[in-house]
Amino acid sequence: MLTLVIISNSSYETQKVGFQLAKKLKAGDVVALFGPMGAGKTTFVRGVADGLGLGDCVHSPTFALVHEYEGPVSLFHFDMYRVESFDDLESTAYYDYLKREGIIIIEWSENIENALPPNYIKVEISPQNNNLEQRQIVVREVKKT
Ligand SMILES: Nc1ncnc2c1ncn2[C@@H]1O[C@H](COP(=O)(O)OP(=O)(O)O)[C@@H](O)[C@H]1O
Ligand SMILES: [Mg+2]
């Protein structure tokens, strides 16, 4: 199982990591983002959308819970910040999205860890103490099947 550890020194670099990951993604893939408020999760999603050829369309779905970006391969962007129960999760239609042809990317995966599929790509973004603009990004393929 391959693990990538990347140090990003700007939001541009974080987007670039997302852009590069997008080139490896295919319909059906699930990308689970972990990291605190302000880590750069939405920034990362911007890079992924750009890499999928969806352009500059990403904004935070905190209130809508999910945004759909249509393209050759669609991107379904969830924000689970407010999801605290199974009922909350069901109301986002998450389980229906898992069956659709598209790539799913999830902010605040911490809140739905038990509902992630057996196989997914885990992206952990960690702010660094010494530098306001620095992040450690760990990308890992999780495979339980
Ligand atoms: N290396 C970096 N990577 C990502 N964002 C960064 C970085 N350095 C500074 N930032 C800033 O941190 C903020 C991250 O915001 P956002 O992507 O919305 O975070 P989240 O979705 O995790 O709450 C942005 O204002 C961005 O400009
Ligand atoms: Mg966000």
Side-chain angles (χ1 to χ4, degrees):
M1 206 180 298
L2 188 66
T3 301
L4 294 174
V5 181
I6 302 135
I7 296 295
S8 158
N9 286 301
S10 66
S11 60
Y12 174 73
E13 281 184 20
T14 296
Q15 282 189 46
K16 225 165 55 176
V17 178
F19 186 96
Q20 282 159 354
L21 176 67
K23 299 297 177 193
K24 311 270 176 208
L25 296 175
K26 55 186 188 316
D29 284 346
V30 175
V31 179
L33 301 173
F34 291 75
M37 182 82 71
K41 301 179 293 296
T42 302
T43 302
F44 186 91
V45 176
R46 258 182 213 119
V48 171
D50 192 22
L52 293 173
L54 301 172
D56 190 16
C57 55
V58 170
H59 39 282
S60 177
T62 298
F63 296 101
L65 297 171
V66 59
H67 283 160
E68 299 189 18
Y69 312 117
E70 307 276 345
V73 181
S74 293
L75 184 66
F76 307 128
H77 177 198
F78 282 87
D79 190 317
M80 301 301 188
Y81 183 61
R82 277 153 216 282
V83 171
E84 289 174 344
S85 65
F86 181 74
D87 281 353
D88 286 352
L89 184 58
E90 273 213 308
S91 74
T92 70
Y94 169 73
Y95 291 103
D96 301 321
Y97 279 97
L98 282 180
K99 294 180 213 142
R100 285 176 59 176
E101 276 294 296
I103 294 163
I104 298 182
I105 193 159
I106 307 161
E107 298 193 39
W108 291 101
S109 295
E110 288 89 339
N111 289 354
I112 63 141
E113 208 162 354
N114 295 333
L116 290 171
N119 299 338
Y120 62 93
I121 297 149
K122 182 170 188 173
V123 177
E124 288 176 275
I125 309 180
S126 311
Q128 306 290 285
N129 287 331
N130 54 337
N131 182 335
L132 271 178
E133 293 225 67
Q134 198 170 78
R135 307 287 188 270
Q136 184 195 63
I137 304 174
V138 178
V139 182
R140 191 162 66 87
E141 246 183 296
V142 174
K143 281 196 177 167
K144 290 183 195 141
T145 56

